[in-house]
């Protein structure tokens, strides 16, 4: 089933206005949810919307809250998100990082007490559209083991790096696990196994079953010990810059809320676009393992999916779509 983008966005907006979101906040959040589905990130678009609404009705997300500036130090700002919707806070924080970069060449904005930002890549695209290099990351509830451990003490802390490009921005959006939990949900909804091991089952064995992995909350770190180390460092950086809560403190709650995030922008007149094109061309010279699956740069398939879904409508899970329409 495919739904036109505008219809999807309007339905999200309708529900949020009913929940006392301001028109500006409702529009921002509804647009991000619709954009995520449009770009093929269904796990953080329509599929996540009912969970977001549940968190709003339970008071975990406060639609009347607005972020507060705590400290300004040159090109660095620190904010308190006041548990406002994570997408609104993240959009605001990246806008501030862009403004600082416009004035100083670089801007860094850290925010504490915020909520899930949905697709992290959203804010990489936001920076790139403004002509900036964007780097952002967040910590999260524990959902991975430290390497050599058996309990979920590390967050699946996403890292986003974006570089503006006329022919299509290069945007890397990666979780610290082999498969994000949202991606595992997509496989679960389709009744499919993962193409590679993605975590551990209850017996401690590597598994391709998304249901088992989502049950144990023991996702496999990318690069094994390297992903484990990178996740830890992102948690440390987010807390050091924001003064907010760590994965340990977030995991002590029933739901993931009150997370810490960081948004960095770099702006310079010359991005050396010709050199970037050389890098991408050289990378694509590698012989494909499967000719029908050409080598792509980060963000290329997202852009292709976006154009297809804008033309033909956005694929939706019919059960979830009807659930949203009934709210």
């Amino acid at each position: 089933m495919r739904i036109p983008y505008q219809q999807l966005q309007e339905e999200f907006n309708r529900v949020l206005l009913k929940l006392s979101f301001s028109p500006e906040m409702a529009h921002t959040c509804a647009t991000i949810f619709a954009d995520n589905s449009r770009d093929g990130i269904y796990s953080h678009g329509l599929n996540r919307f009912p969970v977001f609404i549940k968190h709003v009705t339970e008071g975990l997300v406060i639609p009347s809250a607005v972020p507060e500036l705590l400290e300004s130090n040159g090109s660095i700002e620190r904010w308190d998100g006041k548990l406002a919707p994570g997408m609104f806070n993240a959009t605001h924080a990246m806008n501030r990082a862009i403004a600082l970069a416009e004035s100083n060449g670089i801007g860094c904005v850290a925010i504490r007490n915020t909520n899930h930002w949905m697709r992290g890549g959203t804010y990489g695209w936001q920076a790139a559209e403004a002509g900036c290099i964007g780097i952002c990351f967040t910590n999260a509830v524990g959902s991975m083991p430290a390497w050599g451990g058996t309990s979920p003490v590390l967050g699946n802390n996403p890292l986003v790096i974006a570089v503006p490009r006329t022919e299509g921005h290069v945007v890397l959006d990666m979780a610290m696990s082999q498969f994000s939990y949202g991606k595992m949900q997509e496989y679960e909804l389709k009744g499919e196994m993962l193409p590679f091991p993605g975590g551990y089952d209850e017996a401690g064995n590597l598994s391709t079953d998304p249901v088992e992995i989502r049950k144990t909350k023991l996702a496999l770190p990318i690069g094994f010990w390297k992903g484990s180390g990178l996740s830890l460092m992102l948690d440390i950086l987010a807390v050091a810059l924001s003064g907010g809560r760590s994965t340990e403190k977030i995991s002590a709650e029933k739901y993931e809320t009150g997370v810490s995030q960081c948004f960095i922008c770099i702006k310079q007149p010359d991005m050396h676009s010709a050199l970037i094109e050389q890098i991408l061309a050289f990378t694509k010279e590698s012989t494909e393992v499967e000719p029908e699956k050409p080598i792509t740069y980060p963000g290329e398939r997202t852009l292709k999916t976006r154009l297809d879904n804008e033309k033909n409508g956005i694929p939706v899970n019919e059960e979830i779509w009807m659930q949203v329409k009934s709210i």
Side-chain angles (χ1 to χ4, degrees):
M1 182 178 184
R2 286 182 177 260
I3 299 295
Y5 172 89
Q6 185 175 358
Q7 184 180 355
L8 193 64
Q9 196 269 353
E10 288 176 351
E11 192 66 20
F12 293 148
N13 198 67
R14 176 193 67 80
V15 174
L16 297 177
L17 289 174
K18 287 284 188 180
L19 291 170
S20 301
F21 279 60
S22 69
E24 178 192 5
M25 188 175 287
H27 177 76
T28 296
C29 295
T31 299
I32 288 175
F33 273 113
D35 285 354
N36 291 349
S37 278
R38 176 202 63 188
D39 288 357
I41 316 299
Y42 311 109
S43 59
H44 291 73
L46 172 67
N47 293 3
R48 186 67 68 94
F49 191 74
V51 176
F52 175 74
I53 297 305
K54 182 173 184 287
H55 287 178
V56 172
T57 58
E58 292 179 349
L60 300 174
V61 176
I62 304 175
S64 61
V66 292
E68 175 189 358
L69 178 63
L70 300 176
E71 183 181 4
S72 180
N73 179 22
S75 298
I76 303 174
E77 290 182 354
R78 191 162 63 88
W79 289 73
D80 189 321
K82 299 291 186 178
L83 298 180
M87 302 83 71
F88 184 84
N89 278 343
T91 300
H92 171 79
M94 184 55 86
N95 277 333
R96 286 300 308 146
I98 291 169
L100 290 168
E102 293 280 359
S103 300
N104 307 302
I106 189 169
C108 175
V109 174
I111 186 168
R112 70 187 189 190
N113 295 329
T114 188
N115 278 302
H116 199 301
W117 62 7
M118 299 303 143
R119 174 181 58 151
T122 295
Y123 317 104
W125 287 95
Q126 181 183 343
E129 284 294 317
C132 293
I133 292 172
I135 303 170
C136 52
F137 50 91
T138 178
N139 61 10
V141 67
S143 59
M144 295 195 311
W147 190 249
T150 58
S151 56
V153 296
L154 296 177
N156 194 2
N157 306 330
L159 172 65
V160 178
I161 303 174
V163 177
R165 177 172 172 266
T166 303
E167 295 79 4
H169 307 313
V170 183
V171 182
L172 174 70
D173 179 5
M174 57 181 283
M176 291 299 105
S177 61
Q178 187 66 44
F179 296 92
S180 70
Y181 277 84
K183 181 60 68 175
M184 284 192 274
Q185 182 197 33
E186 286 185 21
Y187 278 96
E188 181 179 340
L189 288 172
K190 292 185 290 187
E192 297 178 0
M193 295 290 107
L194 304 174
F196 306 99
Y200 300 90
D201 60 21
E202 292 180 323
N205 300 314
L206 280 175
S207 174
T208 59
D209 188 340
V211 176
E212 288 298 312
I213 299 166
R214 281 162 55 83
K215 188 187 304 181
T216 63
K217 295 183 179 179
L218 291 174
L220 178 67
I222 57 169
F224 304 111
W225 51 88
K226 295 181 180 180
S228 176
L230 183 54
S231 172
L232 175 63
M233 290 306 300
L234 291 175
D235 187 28
I236 290 172
L237 283 174
V239 171
L241 291 167
S242 71
R245 301 202 303 167
S246 66
T247 289
E248 177 192 7
K249 303 301 182 184
I250 298 165
S251 301
E253 305 291 340
K254 183 178 180 181
Y255 297 110
E256 181 180 272
T257 186
V259 302
S260 306
Q261 297 173 348
C262 181
F263 302 81
I264 301 169
C265 273
I266 303 169
K267 182 68 176 286
Q268 64 177 17
D270 185 3
M271 290 287 185
H272 307 289
S273 58
L275 300 179
I276 293 173
E277 295 308 309
Q278 290 176 16
I279 293 171
L280 297 179
F282 179 71
T283 302
K284 290 193 171 206
E285 288 178 3
S286 179
T287 304
E288 297 98 340
V289 175
E290 300 179 62
E292 68 277 9
K293 295 181 179 180
I295 293 169
T296 58
Y297 60 81
E300 185 174 2
R301 284 183 295 175
T302 297
L303 187 57
K304 182 179 179 181
T305 300
R306 177 185 303 177
L307 295 173
D308 178 67
N309 285 348
E310 285 177 342
K311 178 182 178 181
N312 300 308
I314 299 169
V316 299
N317 179 290
E318 294 187 38
E319 181 180 348
I320 298 177
W321 173 240
M322 297 308 298
Q323 183 181 345
V324 170
K325 285 180 67 67
S326 70
I327 297 176

